[in-house]
Amino acid sequence: MAALDVAGVSHSYGQKKALDDVSFSIAPSTFTVLLGLNGAGKTTLFSLISHLYNTRHGAIRVFGHDISQTPGEALRRLGIVFQARTLDLDLSVFQNLSYHASLHGIGSAEARQRINAVLDTVEMAGRLGDKARSLSGGQMRRIEIARALLHRPPLLLLDEATVGLDVQSRAGILANIRRLVAAEGISAFWATHLIDEVDEGDHVVVLDEGRVAADARVSEVVRATGAKDIGEAFAKLCRKPSATGVERST
C-alpha cells in the first residue's frame, strides 16, 4: 500500500488552474522530494493532502484512506509542518506540544513521555520551559517537527520546512528528517525549491506550473533528461525561463 497516492488531482482558483491532473504515489518508509519553483503548486497540493482544501477533482489517499471520504482516518496518519510558523509565541515549548497532544486525545501522563521523546529526537531536549518566542527560527522549526511527530504518524508532510533559515539550520533539519526515515521507518514528503536539498538517492516529484514533469528516482530523472545532475535536469523540465537559474541554498 502506498503511503500517499495522488490520482488525477486538479485544482483551480477561479479561472487560474493551480494543479492539472496531478498523479503520483510514494512508498512507505521513503524520503520523497516535491521539487518545484515558487508558484508551481506545491503549497496547493499540500493544502489538498492535509484537507485544508476540499478535493473536487481526483482522489488523495493516505495509506489507503481517502482524504475526502474518511478524512479522520487519513489525517490521523499525517504529521504536517506548514511553511508558515504556527507556534504560539506566548506559550512555552511544553505548552505548545501539550495542546497539540490534547487535540489528539493523548492523556497528560503519556503526553509528557511523548513530548520528552520527540524533543530528544529533534535534538531539543531540555527546552521544555522555554517560551517559543525565545527560540531561533531553526529551533522553532524543530519544535514544529516534534509537534508533528507527537501522535506517531507514519507520514510526514513538510512544506518548505527550511524557508528563511541559515545554511547550518537547513542542513541540520534536513539531516534530522532523513535520520527519522531511516531509523523509524516513517515516510517523509519534503517540498522545496532548493536543489541542494535533493540527494541522488531520493525519489523526486518535479512539479512545474501545476503539472508533474517527472516522477522517479533522481538518478533516473537525470538520465532521462540527458543532464549532468538534478539541477540541470530541473532546468530542462521547467518551462519558466527563470528555471535556468536554479536556486541553491547559500
Side-chain angles (χ1 to χ4, degrees):
M1 183 184 297
L4 176 66
D5 183 44
V6 177
V9 170
S10 297
H11 191 82
S12 297
Y13 300 102
Q15 297 300 311
K16 179 177 173 52
K17 181 161 280 191
L19 297 174
D20 186 5
D21 195 26
V22 170
S23 296
F24 63 89
S25 64
I26 64 175
S29 306
T30 58
F31 185 95
T32 301
V33 179
L34 179 65
L35 181 63
L37 298 171
N38 291 328
K42 301 188 301 297
T43 296
T44 297
L45 179 58
F46 268 47
S47 296
L48 291 167
I49 296 170
S50 59
H51 205 47
L52 291 177
Y53 300 159
N54 290 325
T55 308
R56 295 188 176 91
H57 303 284
I60 297 172
R61 299 178 184 86
V62 180
F63 286 94
H65 297 277
D66 191 298
I67 193 69
S68 295
Q69 297 178 13
T70 54
E73 291 299 321
L75 293 174
R76 198 169 295 128
R77 290 160 174 80
L78 284 179
I80 306 168
V81 179
F82 294 104
Q83 181 174 339
R85 297 286 189 269
T86 55
L87 294 178
D88 188 323
L89 298 181
D90 293 321
L91 298 182
S92 69
V93 168
F94 179 74
Q95 289 169 327
N96 269 283
L97 297 183
S98 293
Y99 178 70
H100 185 78
S102 68
L103 292 178
H104 284 274
I106 302 170
S108 57
E110 184 178 359
R112 180 171 284 275
Q113 291 179 349
R114 291 197 189 190
I115 288 169
N116 287 329
V118 294
L119 287 180
D120 186 60
T121 295
V122 299
E123 301 175 345
M124 289 291 287
R127 307 303 293 267
L128 278 175
D130 292 3
K131 285 287 183 71
R133 69 171 62 256
S134 72
L135 303 176
S136 68
Q139 290 170 335
M140 286 187 190
R141 191 54 96 194
R142 287 176 183 270
I143 298 302
E144 288 173 333
I145 293 169
R147 182 178 59 186
L149 292 169
L150 264 179
H151 61 290
R152 296 171 180 165
L155 174 59
L156 273 182
L157 303 181
L158 303 105
D159 186 11
E160 298 278 6
T162 62
V163 67
L165 303 182
D166 59 55
V167 173
Q168 185 175 0
S169 296
R170 283 176 180 152
I173 288 171
L174 184 54
N176 190 266
I177 297 299
R178 291 186 184 280
R179 281 196 299 270
L180 274 172
V181 172
E184 306 293 337
I186 65 173
S187 299
F189 193 33
W190 177 279
T192 186
H193 64 283
L194 295 173
I195 290 295
D196 292 354
E197 294 183 348
V198 185
D199 278 357
E200 187 174 345
D202 292 338
H203 175 197
V204 62
V205 177
V206 177
L207 197 62
D208 175 47
E209 295 187 345
R211 297 182 180 90
V212 173
D215 173 17
R217 302 278 287 190
V218 168
S219 57
E220 295 169 4
V221 173
V222 171
R223 184 170 59 253
T225 55
K228 67 177 184 297
D229 57 26
I230 185 61
E232 184 177 305
F234 184 44
K236 288 185 174 186
L237 289 165
C238 292
R239 287 166 291 178
K240 287 184 178 179
S242 58
T244 57
V246 175
E247 193 166 348
R248 300 177 185 271
S249 59
T250 55

